[in-house]
Amino acid sequence: MPAIDLPVYRDPDVDVPARVADLLARMTREEKLAQLGSAWAFQLAPAGEFDPERAAPLLADGIGQITRISGASNHPPPVAAELANRIQRHLVEGTRLGIPAVVHEEVCSGLMAHQATIFPQAIGVASTWRPERNEQLAVVVREQMRAVGAHQGLSPVLDVCRDPRWGRTEETYGEDPHLVARFGIAFVRGLQGEHGREGVVATAKHFVGYGASEGGLNWAPVHLPPRELREVYLHPFEAVVKEAGLRSVMNGYHELDGVPCGADRELLTGILREEWGFTGCVVSDYFAVEQLASYHGLVPTKEDAAAVALEAGIDVELPGTDCYGAPLARALARGDLDPASVDRAVRRVLTTKMELGLFEGAEVDVAAVASRVDTPEHRAVALAIARDSLVLLRNEHGLLPLGDGTGTIAVIGPSADDARNLLGDYTHPAHMETLLESRDQQDSPLGGTATIPDELVIDPATHGIPTLLDELRARFGERVEHLRGCEVAGTDRSGIAAAAALAARAEVVVLVVGDRSGLVDACTAGEARDRSSLDLPGVQEDLAAAVLETGSPVVTVLISGRPCGSVALHQHSRAVLAAWLPGAQGARAIAEALDGTICPGGKLPLSFPRSAGHVPTFYGHKRSGGRSHWKGDYADAPVGPLYPFGHGLSYTRFALNDHAVTDAEVAIGGAVRVETTLTSTGHVTGDEGVQLFIRDPEASVTRPVLELKAFHRATLTSGSAVRFRFSVPTGMLGFHGRDLAYVVEPGRLELFLGTSSADVTRIGEVRLVSADGDAVGEEKAFLPQVTVLPLPA
């Protein structure tokens, strides 16, 4: 039988650039533009099944991406996989060139899908101070995405956040650029895996500075000087490009110095591609191209918006084709942009699809889906992360853990018996609420490029996720009594008196308060749910005050993705546990911490301000910052944080000793090496996180008072010890000089070890030296090494 003469672009034995060039040469302008657009899954399958008549005009020339088959529906994983197959079959068999689509999904706290594993929100993952946990999470997400036929995840969020008023604080890894970079690198490595049929494209967002907005308000302008922009906010993005081979970037909604990020060629092409060597695709945040006209007023029409965004470097418009459809065609026809810009973007899209192996088969095995999504192994990873994420902020007189002999336990608060409140804003139930609200309010953001069909089934239920009350009753039985007291939001105080009476007769109170995260009006945190206060929303502060006034010992459990709660609440609670938004396994993890099954060991990834009036509060301020000169404090309050960056207590005790700075002088191009021994001096197994900071006391530009450069979390049994070495390449010890070039300057660096940014010991200093005594334009480095050493005899 004669061999089939395949077109070059379909031959897997030909290298990808040649295949892409062959396919691009065959494409009409309409087919090229189609690769730069997208379509909501519910546009193609309004009732859950693929509708060829609805799909035909949207897919006639192919399509670049399909938006959220799982995340914008209630499809169980096998149904989502079958729909993905049907869409791909239509594209491969029913269009002229047979180009498959990339299916993208949200993956901020796991695959956002019905019946998928719900992990802790990112701020909780960062609180583990174990980047390897983030890589494990991302591997699970990759397995689940590939099982249902999805190929691009819209994470990680690499926004450095120093303003907890911002509703999306919970989606971030905190305030420190090094910590954010470490967790970002881990996530990208886990999600992307090896290129090919098992890989998933990671999408770093929101490029760049999105979390530093005016007033902590979503989509508001950002004011960042160029050096701070590079050293703090661009740093994590640069790290994932250079260390993890990032394959996609998403722009921020906001503007920087008058230029919306979606129109900023200096960012999207100059820095990202020309400086860093990024070769992947840039996708727009949802509706961001059209917003260049309607929201920012940068240009008058969609045609202009399309031309500006494409020239700046946005390759694909999400979540639906709007400006990159007919408006872009008109802009090309009238000569507003070079057709080479289209070819350049299409080349990147096709390269991604070929690297993902889609041309060799885009369909998945539906029969295998059930065994690959939310398995016991996946839930075990979620539980391990939830356990590690818990941060014990306060534990006066060792109130925690609660012993077997504890009498009546009053469980009070609106989040004690509500599984929904354990979940972050980018989880499936939260986004089902968003779809319901958007269907009722078609002027909402999610109605921007498609009407949500009435026949689409939308169910925001949490489906069997246990509550903290469930878990506490399983452990303490009839000793647990419960009253809600009030709701998360609203003004109803009618339940407070009864809750206080229950607290008064209890031996201990577990007060479970915080936020409801999501995007709809009923939520108090999450995207577009920014807050002007860090106090608890609604009348929860009144509930807390009434409970605390009874004099019964109170354990406050904070269920929130942001620092919250008044100073009075924290100071008068005997114990405070930050549980963040711990996901589907969160209630079990919290209960295990309360009863002593596990020992909390998480650390804060961001400083905990005393109030909104203290914002911004962050540890790495300049020498001239962080206090009111010359008095120090505010006139009405201490200036420092309620809890510092890196803070986290334990049920046991540790000691750091035998520090050693290996070399007094280090040549630029080498590494600074610091050794220390961590010893457990307590009586239970627990975790401690050791943090290495530097200070540059004399430099050509002012430097922060402390900069995190390495960290290590260790688990120790009672009486055991571990010795380890931090090796920090000198490429991590530079900064952007007066000309904004990255340099490492010769001179002294002071070294500090500790267990939080406020609990550090100066262990010595090291002198960096260069051959001619001048600053060296060394390549920036991002990753220290941690080596476990044998203990001294």
Side-chain angles (χ1 to χ4, degrees):
M1 187 173 179
I4 299 173
D5 186 16
L6 287 174
V8 171
Y9 77 89
R10 290 201 172 277
D11 188 345
D13 294 328
V14 176
D15 65 29
V16 168
R19 294 175 68 189
V20 169
D22 176 72
L23 179 53
L24 193 62
R26 298 170 185 266
M27 298 174 76
T28 66
R29 175 171 288 184
E30 291 73 21
E31 289 167 333
K32 291 176 181 178
L33 295 186
Q35 291 301 309
L36 308 184
S38 55
W40 284 96
F42 55 67
Q43 293 179 272
L44 312 176
E49 293 186 6
F50 183 74
D51 187 331
E53 291 186 9
R54 297 266 193 119
L58 295 169
L59 304 183
D61 296 308
I63 197 77
Q65 296 217 6
I66 303 298
T67 296
R68 286 164 45 180
I69 293 175
S70 294
S73 76
N74 272 104
H75 301 322
V79 176
E82 180 55 47
L83 177 55
N85 284 353
R86 185 66 185 85
I87 294 170
Q88 300 287 17
R89 199 174 310 132
H90 177 90
L91 289 167
V92 171
E93 299 174 1
T95 63
R96 187 177 75 92
L97 294 170
I99 303 173
V102 168
V103 177
H104 77 257
E105 297 286 356
E106 297 284 2
V107 294
C108 189
S109 50
L111 172 61
M112 194 173 78
H114 182 49
Q115 298 178 358
T117 310
I118 302 177
F119 289 90
Q121 188 69 299
I123 197 69
V125 181
S127 298
T128 69
W129 285 64
R130 280 182 165 144
E132 62 271 21
R133 291 293 193 208
N134 214 27
E135 185 165 355
Q136 292 171 334
L137 184 160
V139 168
V140 171
V141 172
R142 169 162 52 90
E143 292 172 354
Q144 295 187 4
M145 288 184 69
R146 274 298 192 163
V148 299
H151 321 98
Q152 180 161 356
L154 302 188
S155 277
V157 173
L158 298 183
D159 299 309
V160 174
C161 182
R162 295 175 170 180
D163 189 342
R165 296 174 299 175
W166 188 46
R168 303 190 79 169
T169 297
E170 65 189 59
E171 299 175 41
T172 77
Y173 300 122
E175 75 177 46
D176 180 76
H178 176 66
L179 190 70
V180 175
R182 290 285 305 278
F183 276 85
I185 290 167
F187 187 92
V188 171
R189 286 176 172 173
L191 191 67
Q192 294 190 166
E194 297 297 326
H195 286 200
R197 294 186 59 83
E198 296 306 312
V200 166
V201 173
T203 311
K205 60 186 188 183
H206 307 83
F207 200 63
V208 62
Y210 183 40
S213 59
E214 287 180 354
L217 295 169
N218 203 41
W219 296 10
V222 170
H223 311 286
L224 290 171
R227 184 170 295 102
E228 184 178 359
L229 178 68
R230 285 179 175 269
E231 292 188 351
V232 177
Y233 296 91
L234 282 169
H235 179 88
F237 291 92
E238 184 178 5
V240 297
V241 169
K242 293 183 175 179
E243 292 288 346
L246 177 73
R247 300 172 75 186
S248 185
V249 168
M250 175 181 280
N251 71 286
Y253 285 117
H254 59 290
E255 64 174 73
L256 279 168
D257 196 23
V259 182
C261 292
D264 196 332
R265 190 185 186 283
E266 181 182 355
L267 280 177
L268 300 177
T269 299
I271 292 175
L272 181 61
R273 295 190 185 277
E274 294 169 1
E275 287 189 28
W276 297 349
F278 174 74
T279 60
C281 279
V282 175
V283 299
S284 79
D285 206 340
Y286 284 16
F287 320 109
V289 177
E290 189 276 335
Q291 288 170 5
L292 297 177
S294 66
Y295 183 70
H296 291 290
L298 185 75
V299 292
T301 68
K302 291 184 179 183
E303 289 82 356
D304 299 304
V308 167
L310 191 65
E311 291 283 11
I314 291 182
D315 301 310
V316 178
E317 181 183 22
L318 302 180
T321 303
D322 186 4
C323 298
Y324 277 15
L328 180 54
R330 291 192 292 269
L332 284 164
R334 69 191 193 192
D336 289 353
L337 75 163
D338 187 343
S341 299
V342 172
D343 285 359
R344 184 169 57 239
V346 174
R347 190 176 293 110
R348 293 166 183 159
V349 171
L350 297 178
T351 297
T352 297
K353 292 183 176 185
M354 289 185 181
E355 289 177 344
L356 287 168
L358 298 186
F359 284 83
E360 284 68 68
E363 296 189 37
V364 296
D365 183 356
V366 175
V369 172
S371 65
R372 296 179 62 192
V373 176
D374 199 33
T375 66
E377 293 78 13
H378 294 168
R379 292 191 291 273
V381 174
L383 177 60
I385 296 172
R387 287 167 170 164
D388 279 354
S389 73
L390 301 176
V391 182
L392 185 62
L393 298 174
R394 184 179 176 89
N395 194 22
E396 293 300 305
H397 310 298
L399 177 61
L400 289 178
L402 304 177
D404 291 337
T406 305
T408 300
I409 302 172
V411 179
I412 294 171
S415 294
D417 194 28
D418 193 332
R420 169 64 181 79
N421 291 353
L422 299 170
L423 312 181
D425 63 343
Y426 271 76
T427 54
H428 189 262
H431 266 258
M432 291 300 98
E433 296 168 356
T434 306
L435 287 178
L436 287 172
E437 184 178 82
S438 297
R439 188 157 63 184
D440 294 338
Q441 304 172 11
Q442 287 298 336
D443 60 343
S444 75
L446 285 186
T449 53
T451 299
I452 299 169
D454 290 336
E455 58 266 46
L456 182 70
V457 175
I458 303 174
D459 179 9
T462 52
H463 296 297
I465 298 174
T467 69
L468 180 55
L469 182 63
D470 294 333
E471 295 286 350
L472 290 175
R473 281 179 169 159
R475 287 160 174 76
F476 295 103
E478 295 181 356
R479 287 176 286 168
V480 172
E481 298 187 35
H482 169 250
L483 283 174
R484 197 172 181 86
C486 68
E487 300 303 317
V488 168
T491 59
D492 185 1
R493 293 174 170 79
S494 61
I496 292 179
L502 172 60
R505 60 182 175 80
E507 183 171 328
V508 67
V509 179
V510 177
L511 179 65
V512 191
V513 290
D515 281 302
R516 184 181 181 91
S517 176
L519 286 72
V520 301
D521 291 348
C523 292
T524 63
E527 185 175 1
R529 305 306 296 146
D530 316 305
R531 297 194 62 79
S532 64
S533 170
L534 300 186
D535 288 356
L536 297 172
V539 296
Q540 291 181 86
E541 291 286 354
D542 294 345
L543 172 66
V547 168
L548 290 164
E549 285 174 2
T550 66
S552 294
V554 174
V555 178
T556 295
V557 178
L558 295 176
I559 308 292
S560 176
R562 64 188 179 98
C564 66
S566 65
V567 171
L569 169 67
H570 286 271
Q571 289 183 339
H572 296 297
S573 298
R574 285 266 298 275
V576 181
L577 184 71
W580 308 109
L581 298 163
Q585 300 295 320
R588 176 178 170 182
I590 297 167
E592 288 176 339
L594 295 180
D595 76 0
T597 301
I598 64 169
C599 179
K603 299 282 188 178
L604 288 178
L606 74 176
S607 303
F608 207 115
R610 292 176 177 271
S611 71
H614 287 73
V615 173
T617 297
F618 59 99
Y619 86 91
H621 55 76
K622 297 296 183 70
R623 186 176 298 183
S624 59
R627 53 186 174 146
S628 178
H629 291 273
W630 59 99
K631 295 292 188 182
D633 285 330
Y634 289 106
D636 59 344
V639 77
L642 189 59
Y643 307 107
F645 172 83
H647 171 75
L649 304 177
S650 175
Y651 295 157
T652 189
R653 297 182 303 278
F654 301 91
L656 270 178
N657 46 47
D658 296 331
H659 316 305
V661 180
T662 304
D663 303 296
E665 285 191 349
V666 174
I668 295 174
V672 172
R673 291 182 289 273
V674 172
E675 297 179 7
T676 191
T677 298
L678 176 68
T679 303
S680 170
T681 60
H683 301 292
V684 298
T685 297
D687 292 2
E688 181 59 288
V690 181
Q691 303 157 30
L692 174 66
F693 297 89
I694 69 156
R695 176 185 297 156
D696 189 339
E698 299 171 2
S700 57
V701 297
T702 62
R703 305 305 303 147
V705 294
L706 286 176
E707 297 178 70
L708 180 70
K709 293 301 176 183
F711 54 88
H712 180 64
R713 177 170 171 171
T715 302
L716 296 179
T717 58
S718 176
S720 66
V722 62
R723 187 165 182 82
F724 49 89
R725 176 193 298 132
F726 293 124
S727 296
V728 181
T730 59
M732 291 183 62
L733 305 176
F735 53 83
H736 289 268
R738 296 195 182 191
D739 62 355
L740 295 183
Y742 188 76
V743 296
V744 180
E745 288 188 347
R748 287 190 305 122
L749 288 179
E750 298 173 341
L751 304 173
F752 299 82
L753 276 174
T755 56
S756 84
S757 59
D759 182 17
V760 294
T761 299
R762 186 181 185 279
I763 62 166
E765 62 180 47
V766 65
R767 180 169 293 276
L768 302 184
V769 296
S770 65
D772 56 9
D774 293 330
V776 177
E778 188 178 3
E779 181 72 19
K780 186 183 289 189
F782 304 94
L783 294 174
Q785 290 186 339
V786 180
T787 306
V788 176
L789 304 172
L791 289 169

